Amino acid sequence: MSLTSTAATLVTLAEDAEHGGSHQSLSAYLTGFGALGALLLLLWITTRFNRDR
């Protein structure tokens, strides 16, 4: 299987999923704010346990 045929197959699959899929995706804002919250929590935990003693 060549690179061009693989790319064409992936593009076809992406187009089918975009137009004909019945999957309800999460809101982009919900996903973004959730990821931001998780990263801020990890940053807080890292700085909390990394204090000089």
Short mmCIF file of all heavy atoms in Angstrom, two decimals:
data_model
loop_
_atom_site.label_atom_id
_atom_site.label_comp_id
_atom_site.label_asym_id
_atom_site.label_seq_id
_atom_site.Cartn_x
_atom_site.Cartn_y
_atom_site.Cartn_z
N MET A 1 0.86 -1.18 0.00
CA MET A 1 0.00 0.00 0.00
C MET A 1 0.90 1.24 0.00
O MET A 1 1.75 1.40 0.86
CB MET A 1 -0.89 -0.03 1.24
CG MET A 1 -1.93 1.05 1.26
SD MET A 1 -3.03 0.93 2.66
CE MET A 1 -4.43 0.20 1.88
N SER A 2 0.69 2.08 -0.97
CA SER A 2 1.55 3.25 -1.10
C SER A 2 1.06 4.39 -0.20
O SER A 2 -0.05 4.36 0.33
CB SER A 2 1.59 3.73 -2.55
OG SER A 2 0.33 4.25 -2.90
N LEU A 3 1.90 5.36 -0.05
CA LEU A 3 1.58 6.50 0.80
C LEU A 3 0.39 7.29 0.27
O LEU A 3 -0.47 7.73 1.03
CB LEU A 3 2.81 7.40 0.92
CG LEU A 3 2.68 8.62 1.82
CD1 LEU A 3 2.39 8.19 3.24
CD2 LEU A 3 3.91 9.47 1.76
N THR A 4 0.32 7.44 -1.06
CA THR A 4 -0.79 8.22 -1.63
C THR A 4 -2.12 7.50 -1.48
O THR A 4 -3.14 8.13 -1.20
CB THR A 4 -0.53 8.52 -3.11
OG1 THR A 4 -0.27 7.30 -3.80
CG2 THR A 4 0.64 9.46 -3.27
N SER A 5 -2.14 6.18 -1.63
CA SER A 5 -3.40 5.45 -1.47
C SER A 5 -3.83 5.44 0.00
O SER A 5 -5.03 5.52 0.30
CB SER A 5 -3.29 4.03 -2.01
OG SER A 5 -2.38 3.28 -1.24
N THR A 6 -2.87 5.38 0.90
CA THR A 6 -3.20 5.43 2.33
C THR A 6 -3.77 6.79 2.69
O THR A 6 -4.77 6.89 3.40
CB THR A 6 -1.94 5.16 3.18
OG1 THR A 6 -1.40 3.91 2.80
CG2 THR A 6 -2.26 5.16 4.65
N ALA A 7 -3.17 7.85 2.17
CA ALA A 7 -3.66 9.20 2.44
C ALA A 7 -5.06 9.38 1.86
O ALA A 7 -5.93 9.98 2.50
CB ALA A 7 -2.70 10.23 1.87
N ALA A 8 -5.29 8.88 0.66
CA ALA A 8 -6.61 9.00 0.05
C ALA A 8 -7.66 8.24 0.86
O ALA A 8 -8.79 8.72 1.03
CB ALA A 8 -6.56 8.48 -1.38
N THR A 9 -7.30 7.08 1.37
CA THR A 9 -8.23 6.31 2.20
C THR A 9 -8.57 7.06 3.49
O THR A 9 -9.73 7.12 3.90
CB THR A 9 -7.61 4.94 2.54
OG1 THR A 9 -7.28 4.28 1.33
CG2 THR A 9 -8.57 4.09 3.34
N LEU A 10 -7.57 7.66 4.11
CA LEU A 10 -7.80 8.40 5.35
C LEU A 10 -8.66 9.64 5.10
O LEU A 10 -9.52 9.98 5.91
CB LEU A 10 -6.47 8.79 5.98
CG LEU A 10 -5.66 7.65 6.58
CD1 LEU A 10 -4.32 8.15 7.07
CD2 LEU A 10 -6.42 6.98 7.71
N VAL A 11 -8.45 10.31 3.99
CA VAL A 11 -9.26 11.48 3.66
C VAL A 11 -10.71 11.06 3.43
O VAL A 11 -11.65 11.72 3.90
CB VAL A 11 -8.69 12.20 2.42
CG1 VAL A 11 -9.67 13.21 1.87
CG2 VAL A 11 -7.38 12.87 2.77
N THR A 12 -10.91 9.96 2.75
CA THR A 12 -12.27 9.46 2.51
C THR A 12 -12.96 9.11 3.82
O THR A 12 -14.13 9.43 4.04
CB THR A 12 -12.23 8.22 1.59
OG1 THR A 12 -11.55 8.57 0.39
CG2 THR A 12 -13.62 7.75 1.25
N LEU A 13 -12.24 8.45 4.71
CA LEU A 13 -12.82 8.10 6.01
C LEU A 13 -13.17 9.35 6.81
O LEU A 13 -14.20 9.42 7.47
CB LEU A 13 -11.84 7.24 6.81
CG LEU A 13 -11.72 5.79 6.38
CD1 LEU A 13 -10.59 5.12 7.14
CD2 LEU A 13 -13.02 5.05 6.58
N ALA A 14 -12.30 10.36 6.77
CA ALA A 14 -12.56 11.60 7.51
C ALA A 14 -13.78 12.33 6.95
O ALA A 14 -14.59 12.88 7.70
CB ALA A 14 -11.33 12.50 7.46
N GLU A 15 -13.93 12.33 5.63
CA GLU A 15 -15.09 13.00 5.03
C GLU A 15 -16.38 12.28 5.37
O GLU A 15 -17.40 12.91 5.64
CB GLU A 15 -14.92 13.09 3.51
CG GLU A 15 -13.89 14.10 3.08
CD GLU A 15 -13.67 14.08 1.58
OE1 GLU A 15 -14.19 13.15 0.91
OE2 GLU A 15 -12.99 14.99 1.09
N ASP A 16 -16.36 10.96 5.38
CA ASP A 16 -17.55 10.19 5.72
C ASP A 16 -17.95 10.43 7.17
O ASP A 16 -19.13 10.58 7.49
CB ASP A 16 -17.33 8.70 5.49
CG ASP A 16 -17.26 8.36 4.01
OD1 ASP A 16 -17.72 9.19 3.19
OD2 ASP A 16 -16.76 7.27 3.68
N ALA A 17 -16.98 10.47 8.05
CA ALA A 17 -17.28 10.68 9.47
C ALA A 17 -17.80 12.08 9.72
O ALA A 17 -18.63 12.31 10.59
CB ALA A 17 -16.03 10.42 10.31
N GLU A 18 -17.32 13.04 8.92
CA GLU A 18 -17.72 14.43 9.12
C GLU A 18 -19.16 14.66 8.67
O GLU A 18 -19.91 15.38 9.31
CB GLU A 18 -16.78 15.34 8.34
CG GLU A 18 -17.07 16.82 8.50
CD GLU A 18 -16.07 17.66 7.73
OE1 GLU A 18 -14.88 17.36 7.78
OE2 GLU A 18 -16.51 18.62 7.08
N HIS A 19 -19.56 14.06 7.58
CA HIS A 19 -20.87 14.36 7.01
C HIS A 19 -21.94 13.35 7.40
O HIS A 19 -23.09 13.73 7.55
CB HIS A 19 -20.77 14.44 5.49
CG HIS A 19 -19.89 15.55 5.02
ND1 HIS A 19 -20.21 16.87 5.22
CD2 HIS A 19 -18.70 15.55 4.39
CE1 HIS A 19 -19.25 17.63 4.72
NE2 HIS A 19 -18.32 16.85 4.22
N GLY A 20 -21.58 12.10 7.54
CA GLY A 20 -22.61 11.10 7.72
C GLY A 20 -22.65 10.48 9.10
O GLY A 20 -23.48 9.63 9.38
N GLY A 21 -21.76 10.90 9.99
CA GLY A 21 -21.70 10.27 11.30
C GLY A 21 -22.82 10.74 12.20
O GLY A 21 -23.29 11.87 12.12
N SER A 22 -23.29 9.85 13.06
CA SER A 22 -24.35 10.22 14.00
C SER A 22 -23.80 10.49 15.39
O SER A 22 -24.54 10.60 16.34
CB SER A 22 -25.39 9.09 14.07
OG SER A 22 -24.77 7.92 14.55
N HIS A 23 -22.48 10.56 15.50
CA HIS A 23 -21.84 10.76 16.80
C HIS A 23 -21.97 12.21 17.24
O HIS A 23 -21.65 13.13 16.50
CB HIS A 23 -20.36 10.38 16.68
CG HIS A 23 -19.61 10.53 17.95
ND1 HIS A 23 -18.87 11.64 18.23
CD2 HIS A 23 -19.50 9.73 19.03
CE1 HIS A 23 -18.32 11.51 19.42
NE2 HIS A 23 -18.69 10.36 19.92
N GLN A 24 -22.45 12.40 18.45
CA GLN A 24 -22.54 13.75 19.01
C GLN A 24 -21.23 14.04 19.74
O GLN A 24 -20.89 13.38 20.71
CB GLN A 24 -23.71 13.83 19.99
CG GLN A 24 -25.06 13.68 19.34
CD GLN A 24 -25.43 14.90 18.52
OE1 GLN A 24 -24.95 15.98 18.77
NE2 GLN A 24 -26.25 14.69 17.51
N SER A 25 -20.50 15.04 19.27
CA SER A 25 -19.23 15.35 19.90
C SER A 25 -19.44 16.38 21.00
O SER A 25 -20.45 17.08 21.05
CB SER A 25 -18.24 15.91 18.87
OG SER A 25 -18.72 17.12 18.36
N LEU A 26 -18.45 16.46 21.88
CA LEU A 26 -18.49 17.44 22.95
C LEU A 26 -18.23 18.83 22.38
O LEU A 26 -17.66 18.99 21.31
CB LEU A 26 -17.42 17.12 23.99
CG LEU A 26 -17.64 15.86 24.82
CD1 LEU A 26 -16.41 15.62 25.67
CD2 LEU A 26 -18.86 15.99 25.68
N SER A 27 -18.66 19.81 23.11
CA SER A 27 -18.40 21.19 22.71
C SER A 27 -16.89 21.45 22.74
O SER A 27 -16.18 20.98 23.63
CB SER A 27 -19.10 22.13 23.67
OG SER A 27 -18.67 23.45 23.49
N ALA A 28 -16.41 22.19 21.77
CA ALA A 28 -14.99 22.53 21.73
C ALA A 28 -14.59 23.36 22.96
O ALA A 28 -13.50 23.21 23.49
CB ALA A 28 -14.67 23.28 20.45
N TYR A 29 -15.48 24.25 23.40
CA TYR A 29 -15.18 25.05 24.58
C TYR A 29 -15.11 24.18 25.83
O TYR A 29 -14.23 24.37 26.67
CB TYR A 29 -16.25 26.13 24.77
CG TYR A 29 -16.20 27.20 23.72
CD1 TYR A 29 -17.20 27.31 22.77
CD2 TYR A 29 -15.12 28.09 23.64
CE1 TYR A 29 -17.15 28.29 21.79
CE2 TYR A 29 -15.05 29.06 22.67
CZ TYR A 29 -16.07 29.16 21.74
OH TYR A 29 -16.02 30.12 20.78
N LEU A 30 -16.00 23.21 25.95
CA LEU A 30 -15.98 22.31 27.10
C LEU A 30 -14.69 21.51 27.13
O LEU A 30 -14.04 21.38 28.17
CB LEU A 30 -17.19 21.38 27.06
CG LEU A 30 -17.30 20.35 28.18
CD1 LEU A 30 -17.54 21.06 29.50
CD2 LEU A 30 -18.44 19.40 27.89
N THR A 31 -14.29 21.00 25.98
CA THR A 31 -13.05 20.24 25.90
C THR A 31 -11.84 21.11 26.20
O THR A 31 -10.95 20.71 26.95
CB THR A 31 -12.90 19.64 24.49
OG1 THR A 31 -14.06 18.88 24.18
CG2 THR A 31 -11.68 18.76 24.39
N GLY A 32 -11.81 22.32 25.67
CA GLY A 32 -10.69 23.22 25.90
C GLY A 32 -10.56 23.65 27.34
O GLY A 32 -9.46 23.63 27.91
N PHE A 33 -11.69 24.03 27.95
CA PHE A 33 -11.63 24.44 29.34
C PHE A 33 -11.34 23.27 30.27
O PHE A 33 -10.67 23.42 31.29
CB PHE A 33 -12.92 25.14 29.76
CG PHE A 33 -13.02 26.55 29.24
CD1 PHE A 33 -14.10 26.93 28.46
CD2 PHE A 33 -12.04 27.48 29.53
CE1 PHE A 33 -14.20 28.23 27.97
CE2 PHE A 33 -12.12 28.78 29.05
CZ PHE A 33 -13.20 29.15 28.27
N GLY A 34 -11.80 22.08 29.91
CA GLY A 34 -11.47 20.90 30.70
C GLY A 34 -9.98 20.58 30.65
O GLY A 34 -9.36 20.27 31.67
N ALA A 35 -9.40 20.68 29.45
CA ALA A 35 -7.96 20.45 29.32
C ALA A 35 -7.16 21.52 30.05
O ALA A 35 -6.16 21.21 30.71
CB ALA A 35 -7.57 20.43 27.84
N LEU A 36 -7.60 22.77 29.96
CA LEU A 36 -6.91 23.85 30.67
C LEU A 36 -6.98 23.62 32.17
O LEU A 36 -5.98 23.78 32.88
CB LEU A 36 -7.53 25.19 30.31
CG LEU A 36 -6.94 26.41 31.02
CD1 LEU A 36 -5.47 26.59 30.65
CD2 LEU A 36 -7.74 27.65 30.69
N GLY A 37 -8.14 23.24 32.67
CA GLY A 37 -8.29 22.98 34.10
C GLY A 37 -7.40 21.83 34.56
O GLY A 37 -6.79 21.89 35.62
N ALA A 38 -7.33 20.76 33.76
CA ALA A 38 -6.49 19.62 34.12
C ALA A 38 -5.02 20.02 34.14
O ALA A 38 -4.27 19.63 35.05
CB ALA A 38 -6.71 18.48 33.13
N LEU A 39 -4.58 20.82 33.16
CA LEU A 39 -3.19 21.26 33.14
C LEU A 39 -2.86 22.20 34.29
O LEU A 39 -1.77 22.12 34.89
CB LEU A 39 -2.87 21.94 31.80
CG LEU A 39 -2.81 21.00 30.60
CD1 LEU A 39 -2.67 21.80 29.31
CD2 LEU A 39 -1.67 20.01 30.75
N LEU A 40 -3.80 23.08 34.63
CA LEU A 40 -3.56 23.97 35.78
C LEU A 40 -3.50 23.18 37.09
O LEU A 40 -2.70 23.49 37.98
CB LEU A 40 -4.64 25.05 35.85
CG LEU A 40 -4.54 26.13 34.77
CD1 LEU A 40 -5.74 27.06 34.85
CD2 LEU A 40 -3.26 26.91 34.91
N LEU A 41 -4.33 22.15 37.20
CA LEU A 41 -4.29 21.30 38.39
C LEU A 41 -2.95 20.58 38.49
O LEU A 41 -2.34 20.52 39.56
CB LEU A 41 -5.44 20.29 38.36
CG LEU A 41 -5.48 19.30 39.52
CD1 LEU A 41 -5.77 20.03 40.83
CD2 LEU A 41 -6.52 18.23 39.26
N LEU A 42 -2.48 20.04 37.36
CA LEU A 42 -1.17 19.38 37.37
C LEU A 42 -0.05 20.36 37.69
O LEU A 42 0.90 20.02 38.40
CB LEU A 42 -0.91 18.72 36.02
CG LEU A 42 -1.72 17.47 35.73
CD1 LEU A 42 -1.51 17.02 34.29
CD2 LEU A 42 -1.38 16.36 36.69
N LEU A 43 -0.14 21.59 37.19
CA LEU A 43 0.86 22.61 37.50
C LEU A 43 0.86 22.93 38.99
O LEU A 43 1.91 23.05 39.63
CB LEU A 43 0.60 23.87 36.69
CG LEU A 43 1.54 25.04 36.92
CD1 LEU A 43 2.96 24.67 36.50
CD2 LEU A 43 1.06 26.26 36.18
N TRP A 44 -0.33 23.05 39.58
CA TRP A 44 -0.43 23.34 41.00
C TRP A 44 0.15 22.20 41.83
O TRP A 44 0.89 22.44 42.79
CB TRP A 44 -1.90 23.58 41.38
CG TRP A 44 -2.07 23.88 42.83
CD1 TRP A 44 -1.85 25.06 43.46
CD2 TRP A 44 -2.48 22.95 43.85
NE1 TRP A 44 -2.09 24.93 44.81
CE2 TRP A 44 -2.48 23.65 45.06
CE3 TRP A 44 -2.83 21.61 43.83
CZ2 TRP A 44 -2.83 23.03 46.25
CZ3 TRP A 44 -3.18 21.00 45.01
CH2 TRP A 44 -3.18 21.72 46.22
N ILE A 45 -0.17 20.96 41.45
CA ILE A 45 0.36 19.81 42.19
C ILE A 45 1.88 19.77 42.09
O ILE A 45 2.58 19.53 43.08
CB ILE A 45 -0.26 18.49 41.66
CG1 ILE A 45 -1.73 18.42 42.04
CG2 ILE A 45 0.48 17.28 42.18
CD1 ILE A 45 -2.49 17.30 41.37
N THR A 46 2.42 20.02 40.89
CA THR A 46 3.87 19.97 40.68
C THR A 46 4.56 21.05 41.52
O THR A 46 5.57 20.77 42.18
CB THR A 46 4.19 20.18 39.20
OG1 THR A 46 3.54 19.17 38.45
CG2 THR A 46 5.69 20.12 38.95
N THR A 47 4.04 22.25 41.52
CA THR A 47 4.69 23.32 42.29
C THR A 47 4.49 23.12 43.78
O THR A 47 5.32 23.53 44.59
CB THR A 47 4.16 24.69 41.87
OG1 THR A 47 2.74 24.72 42.00
CG2 THR A 47 4.53 25.00 40.43
N ARG A 48 3.41 22.50 44.18
CA ARG A 48 3.14 22.27 45.61
C ARG A 48 4.17 21.32 46.20
O ARG A 48 4.64 21.52 47.31
CB ARG A 48 1.75 21.68 45.76
CG ARG A 48 1.33 21.36 47.12
CD ARG A 48 0.65 22.53 47.76
NE ARG A 48 0.16 22.13 49.07
CZ ARG A 48 0.24 22.90 50.11
NH1 ARG A 48 0.73 24.11 50.00
NH2 ARG A 48 -0.20 22.51 51.27
N PHE A 49 4.54 20.27 45.46
CA PHE A 49 5.47 19.28 45.98
C PHE A 49 6.92 19.56 45.60
O PHE A 49 7.80 18.79 45.93
CB PHE A 49 5.08 17.88 45.50
CG PHE A 49 3.82 17.38 46.13
CD1 PHE A 49 2.67 17.24 45.39
CD2 PHE A 49 3.78 17.07 47.47
CE1 PHE A 49 1.50 16.79 45.97
CE2 PHE A 49 2.63 16.61 48.07
CZ PHE A 49 1.48 16.47 47.31
N ASN A 50 7.18 20.66 44.91
CA ASN A 50 8.54 20.96 44.47
C ASN A 50 9.13 22.15 45.21
O ASN A 50 9.98 22.84 44.70
CB ASN A 50 8.52 21.24 42.95
CG ASN A 50 9.90 21.16 42.35
OD1 ASN A 50 10.77 20.52 42.90
ND2 ASN A 50 10.09 21.85 41.24
N ARG A 51 8.68 22.38 46.42
CA ARG A 51 9.22 23.50 47.20
C ARG A 51 10.58 23.15 47.77
O ARG A 51 10.85 22.02 48.14
CB ARG A 51 8.27 23.84 48.34
CG ARG A 51 6.99 24.43 47.86
CD ARG A 51 6.15 24.88 49.00
NE ARG A 51 4.91 25.47 48.50
CZ ARG A 51 3.97 25.93 49.26
NH1 ARG A 51 4.07 25.87 50.56
NH2 ARG A 51 2.89 26.46 48.72
N ASP A 52 11.44 24.15 47.83
CA ASP A 52 12.74 23.95 48.45
C ASP A 52 12.54 23.87 49.96
O ASP A 52 11.80 24.64 50.56
CB ASP A 52 13.68 25.10 48.12
CG ASP A 52 14.08 25.08 46.65
OD1 ASP A 52 14.11 24.00 46.06
OD2 ASP A 52 14.35 26.17 46.13
N ARG A 53 13.26 22.97 50.56
CA ARG A 53 13.07 22.79 52.01
C ARG A 53 14.26 23.28 52.77
O ARG A 53 15.32 23.36 52.40
CB ARG A 53 12.82 21.32 52.31
CG ARG A 53 11.58 20.92 51.62
CD ARG A 53 11.13 19.55 51.99
NE ARG A 53 9.81 19.44 51.37
CZ ARG A 53 9.36 18.38 50.80
NH1 ARG A 53 10.08 17.29 50.80
NH2 ARG A 53 8.20 18.33 50.25
#
